Amino acid sequence: MAAGLTALPALLALGTATPALAAVPAHHKVATPPPVHYQQVSNTSTCGADSFCTVTVTCPRGTLVTGGGITTSTFISSGVYVYETAPVNSTTWRGTIRNTTQSTFPVTVKAVCARSQGF
């Protein structure tokens, strides 16, 4: 056991080492990727009492969906459940809420879109 403990500091030291950078000749230019442009888009719809409410939002042309979610600005302590929030395809996000209450409230689906390659 003592031999194993004495090797531990050496292993930890290996984990903190920084690899050497390779030299790149000055005449070789490294292509810099274009900056990524993100945009958040949203769509709001009214969710009726005792219903499933599905809302979708589509990214602008030339962008792809990278994430999203669903929200409501109305606070209801119980009876409102997120059923799904997921991409439908490469440009559209969908969210569904199950409203078991007798209240009507707005539901917003948001998507984060990024410029796709070549645009």
Side-chain angles (χ1 to χ4, degrees):
M1 174 125 180
L5 290 177
T6 58
L8 185 60
L11 288 175
L12 291 175
L14 287 175
T16 60
T18 303
L21 296 175
V24 177
H27 65 278
H28 288 165
K29 292 190 177 188
V30 177
T32 304
V36 177
H37 295 281
Y38 294 97
Q39 179 179 2
Q40 180 176 296
V41 292
S42 63
N43 186 23
T44 301
S45 184
T46 300
C47 187
D50 194 25
S51 64
F52 279 90
C53 310
T54 299
V55 183
T56 60
V57 63
T58 300
C59 291
R61 185 170 186 234
T63 63
L64 300 172
V65 69
T66 61
I70 188 168
T71 186
T72 179
S73 59
T74 305
F75 177 75
I76 300 173
S77 62
S78 64
V80 177
Y81 308 96
V82 174
Y83 184 73
E84 77 167 336
T85 180
V88 175
N89 54 41
S90 64
T91 61
T92 304
W93 195 272
R94 173 176 53 214
T96 302
I97 284 184
R98 172 67 172 119
N99 178 13
T100 65
T101 73
Q102 294 306 306
S103 299
T104 298
F105 52 85
V107 172
T108 301
V109 170
K110 297 179 181 181
V112 178
C113 308
R115 185 178 63 202
S116 60
Q117 291 284 350
F119 287 95

